[in-house]
Amino acid sequence: MMAENFTIIVALLEKIGIAALIVLAYRMIRHSRRDLLWTGPAVGIIFAFGAAITMIDPVVISPGVIVDIRTIMVALAALFGGIWAAVIASAATIALRIFIGGAGVVPGVVSILIAAVVSLVYARVTGGRRDLLGLTILGGLISLNFLAILLLPREALVASGFSTMPALFARNLFGTVVLGHLLAMEDSREAEFARFKREAERDPLTGLSNRRVLDMLEHDKSKRVGSYFSIILFDIDQFKRLNDTYGHDFGDRVLAEVAAIIANRMRGGDLVVRYGGEEICVVVAESLARNTIRVAEDIRQQIESADFEVNGRHVTVTVSAGVAESSAGMPSVYNVLRKADEALYEAKGAGRNNVQLYGARDHLPDAGM
């Protein structure tokens, strides 16, 4: 009996080589930029393919009774891809098992269903735990599919018996832990890459996007701001004097709070960027300048009326702003930004604490110094 179990384990270990293909395919999905809706089905297809490969050359225990690692594939599809992956992997694997035929068809189908359900329940209860201990627990739990052996015809049950149970249990544990750990490492790498990417595009003081995002937008603005857009360029008035008078900690707080006021006023599809120093750039998606200038003026008023306090003393903070819009002849983000910067220069020349529209000689009335 020990020799039989050893033979099964060795044969099943050969199938683990398929894990490399599964991991590579999974990596391609994780690195793709497709809508998340398709991630689950894609994972299901990959694991269905992996299960099919293992079922083509299985370990035959008795005529019609075969052993492979399909239940591991189905279980991990459910854990890493969710319910859609579980449904697709299970359906494809069940269809192939029925096509193969033999005395073990019914228990084989039941074992696949048990593996899928157990893994989905495990993922729901544990929150999708994928560390080594969690994967070991899952490997043990999917061994509940051993109950399906009771559905074998009597002669097949006698022929196979329960002597192979240790090998099958070892298969579930080892296969789930090894393949699951490799897949979890891919998830971890992708999450770390996404975190580094966010940090590279984010200003640490204000939490806004940084200028690098404008470079990306310049090359693919149609996906973010539509066919036309406007830009507001804000500048905190007398910011150097605020720093010199009240200290850099207060200056940092002012910058962060001004950034928050601006970001909270804008829509989700707009882009708010710390352009440099005390300048904040807003790319307003699908908005003409006549609408954008009203938004800029509203923000200017909010900032002027905000409560900035240092050492028990109220400090009034104001901003100047320049507004410009795109056109058929000026689709570049940086070209529009240059126009907004010229309008900002006009606003500062007009006494600060006002909003100017590029190309307009008349501007909004000053709100006072």
Side-chain angles (χ1 to χ4, degrees):
M1 295 301 179
M2 184 176 294
E4 183 180 7
N5 277 288
F6 181 76
T7 301
I8 292 175
I9 290 175
V10 171
L12 291 174
L13 285 177
E14 294 177 355
K15 309 298 181 183
I16 298 299
I18 299 170
L21 295 176
I22 299 296
V23 172
L24 288 174
Y26 186 73
R27 177 182 298 174
M28 292 176 62
I29 292 176
R30 296 291 280 124
H31 287 184
S32 71
R33 295 297 177 260
R34 289 184 175 274
D35 192 285
L36 290 177
L37 177 64
W38 294 103
T39 301
V43 171
I45 292 171
I46 287 174
F47 279 97
F49 178 74
I53 293 177
T54 69
M55 294 170 69
I56 292 174
D57 183 26
V59 178
V60 179
I61 296 179
S62 61
V65 181
I66 60 178
V67 176
D68 47 53
I69 59 173
R70 63 180 180 269
T71 53
I72 296 173
M73 295 291 181
V74 170
L76 291 178
L79 177 61
F80 285 88
I83 188 168
W84 280 112
V87 169
I88 292 173
S90 298
T93 307
I94 287 172
L96 182 57
R97 184 63 189 89
I98 293 174
F99 176 78
I100 292 173
V105 169
V106 173
V109 169
V110 172
S111 69
I112 293 169
L113 292 174
I114 290 175
V117 171
V118 165
S119 186
L120 287 173
V121 172
Y122 166 85
R124 181 66 179 269
V125 171
T126 66
R129 182 175 176 177
R130 301 172 185 179
D131 60 355
L132 290 176
L133 178 58
L135 291 170
T136 301
I137 293 172
L138 177 61
L141 289 175
I142 63 175
S143 295
L144 289 172
N145 63 6
F146 291 167
L147 297 174
I149 198 173
L150 299 176
L151 299 175
L152 282 170
R154 181 177 178 80
E155 59 276 12
L157 183 60
V158 171
S160 60
F162 295 92
S163 60
T164 58
M165 288 296 184
L168 298 180
F169 185 77
R171 170 205 67 179
N172 288 345
L173 285 181
F174 184 78
T176 303
V177 170
V178 171
L179 182 52
H181 181 60
L182 292 174
L183 294 169
M185 287 176 62
E186 286 301 318
D187 280 345
S188 178
R189 289 193 188 98
E190 184 65 19
E192 187 175 10
F193 172 78
R195 179 173 62 84
F196 287 150
K197 186 174 182 293
R198 285 194 302 270
E199 291 176 354
E201 297 172 357
R202 192 70 54 182
D203 174 59
L205 175 61
T206 63
L208 301 179
S209 300
N210 60 30
R211 293 181 63 166
R212 187 178 308 222
V213 177
L214 288 176
D215 294 333
M216 296 165 48
L217 188 62
E218 177 74 1
H219 294 95
D220 198 13
K221 53 183 169 294
S222 61
K223 290 186 178 180
R224 181 66 186 260
V225 297
S227 57
Y228 63 95
F229 59 92
S230 295
I231 287 181
I232 312 170
L233 187 59
F234 291 99
D235 185 275
I236 300 175
D237 296 328
Q238 304 290 358
F239 188 69
K240 183 178 184 303
R241 188 174 68 181
L242 289 175
N243 276 326
D244 292 342
T245 304
Y246 303 108
H248 288 279
D249 287 343
F250 178 72
D252 287 348
R253 180 156 60 87
V254 167
L255 185 55
E257 292 187 26
V258 167
I261 291 172
I262 296 172
N264 290 336
R265 177 61 178 80
M266 305 313 299
R267 304 165 299 176
D270 301 325
L271 180 64
V272 185
V273 176
R274 183 180 180 186
Y275 187 63
E278 65 273 21
E279 290 185 328
I280 295 176
C281 170
V282 182
V283 183
V284 190
E286 299 185 347
S287 178
L288 298 174
R290 63 175 179 268
N291 299 320
T292 304
I293 198 169
R294 290 196 291 268
V295 175
E297 174 63 15
D298 180 50
I299 291 173
R300 184 200 65 75
Q301 292 178 11
Q302 287 187 48
I303 293 171
E304 185 182 23
S305 60
D307 184 21
F308 294 93
E309 186 175 305
V310 57
N311 299 325
R313 178 181 176 183
H314 175 76
V315 178
T316 298
V317 175
T318 63
V319 295
S320 301
V323 177
E325 68 180 11
S326 65
S327 64
M330 191 171 56
S332 166
V333 171
Y334 283 113
N335 281 345
V336 179
L337 181 57
R338 180 171 57 83
K339 304 299 184 184
D341 188 41
E342 291 182 24
L344 173 61
Y345 182 79
E346 292 180 8
K348 287 186 170 295
R352 299 186 177 88
N353 193 23
N354 68 92
V355 178
Q356 292 288 335
L357 174 63
Y358 173 76
R361 294 189 176 274
D362 297 326
H363 58 78
L364 295 177
D366 290 352
M369 293 300 292

